[in-house]
């Protein structure tokens, strides 16, 4: 869960719980990984990664680019999945770079989420064929969201992606590469 998921929190209690977990995960230790439930592993390791960002996230790109490959794979796949599930690939390409989305495809491959990776790769092909994204004006956003170029890729992704399956595969992945996740 990223700080942007806080907006969808229905209650103050949910927000307080989110902040408490984020603070705990920011200092996640490697030896704690095995005690984290499978259903929370993605939240834990992405919280640990986001704990490295400045409060205003101005250094997000720098931090993400410095991550070891296993961390990058998981973080990008999770981040893009949330974007696509929230507003489709049109929104994802408007909000984040095609390079970041390409890294997510690699992440889905690394996690053995081949159908989700195929959907992301299809969206990358579509993005390239429609000329990528332009500026970031509100009119550009409305124009992009009114197009149906990404509908097929959106549907492919929604059919391929399951949060439960992703968490199960992520748990195995984190345990296999746990020397890269968490603080010593």
């Amino acid at each position: 869960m990223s700080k942007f998921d806080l907006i969808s929190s229905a209650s103050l209690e949910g927000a307080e719980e989110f902040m408490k977990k984020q603070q705990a995960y920011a200092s996640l230790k490697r030896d704690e990984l095995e005690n984290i439930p499978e259903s929370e592993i993605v939240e834990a390791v992405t919280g640990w990664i986001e704990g490295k960002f400045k409060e205003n996230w101005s250094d997000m790109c720098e931090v993400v680019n410095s991550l070891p490959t296993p961390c990058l794979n998981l973080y990008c796949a999770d981040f893009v999945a949330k974007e696509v599930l929230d507003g489709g690939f049109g929104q994802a390409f408007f909000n984040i770079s095609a390079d970041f989305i390409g890294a997510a495809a690699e992440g889905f491959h690394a996690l053995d989420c081949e159908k989700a990776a195929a959907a992301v790769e299809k969206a990358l092909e579509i993005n390239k064929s429609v000329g990528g994204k332009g500026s970031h004006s509100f009119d550009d956003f409305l124009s992009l969201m009114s197009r149906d170029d990404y509908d097929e890729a959106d549907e492919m992704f929604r059919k391929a992606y399951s949060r439960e399956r992703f968490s199960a595969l992520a748990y195995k992945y984190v345990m296999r590469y746990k020397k890269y996740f968490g603080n010593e």
Side-chain angles (χ1 to χ4, degrees):
M1 180 181 288
S2 74
K3 73 177 186 176
F4 300 112
D5 295 323
L6 186 60
I7 295 168
S8 67
S9 176
S11 70
L12 183 56
E13 292 171 7
E16 289 172 356
E17 180 68 23
F18 169 81
M19 293 306 295
K20 191 165 34 170
K21 280 187 175 182
Q22 281 295 100
Q23 289 171 349
Y25 291 146
S27 59
L28 181 68
K29 303 251 185 291
R30 234 170 253 142
D31 61 1
E32 298 170 335
L33 290 169
E34 291 178 1
N35 298 324
I36 296 172
E38 185 176 276
S39 62
E40 289 184 30
I41 198 70
V42 174
E43 181 181 4
V45 297
T46 58
W48 169 70
I49 291 167
E50 290 169 354
K52 298 175 178 302
F53 302 163
K54 291 179 182 174
E55 189 173 331
N56 66 3
W57 285 37
S58 63
D59 63 342
M60 178 188 181
C61 290
E62 181 182 324
V63 171
V64 169
N65 285 330
S66 73
L67 293 173
T69 301
C71 298
L72 180 71
N73 285 338
L74 182 60
Y75 188 76
C76 291
D78 181 62
F79 194 91
V80 169
K82 289 175 183 173
E83 279 288 320
V84 173
L85 293 173
D86 182 54
F89 281 106
Q91 175 178 303
F93 281 106
F94 185 82
N95 289 337
I96 51 183
S97 74
D99 290 340
F100 194 97
I101 295 172
E106 292 301 315
F108 283 116
H109 281 299
L111 287 147
D112 294 325
C113 297
E114 295 304 325
K115 290 181 180 179
V120 173
E121 289 168 343
K122 181 172 188 61
L124 285 162
E125 290 173 19
I126 293 166
N127 186 260
K128 188 174 181 178
S129 74
V130 297
K133 62 181 180 182
S135 67
H136 281 85
S137 72
F138 186 68
D139 288 337
D140 291 333
F141 177 74
L142 292 176
S143 174
L144 182 62
M145 296 311 286
S146 68
R147 297 176 68 164
D148 59 4
D149 298 315
Y150 297 105
D151 288 353
E152 187 178 344
D154 290 344
E155 184 66 24
M156 276 179 67
F157 189 83
R158 284 186 172 86
K159 285 181 180 177
Y161 183 84
S162 154
R163 187 66 179 176
E164 294 78 22
R165 182 171 183 273
F166 184 77
S167 293
L169 293 170
Y171 187 85
K172 291 176 188 172
Y173 186 77
V174 168
M175 292 307 131
R176 184 175 357 157
Y177 295 105
K178 68 181 180 180
K179 71 179 184 179
Y180 297 106
F181 293 95
N183 300 322
E184 290 187 48

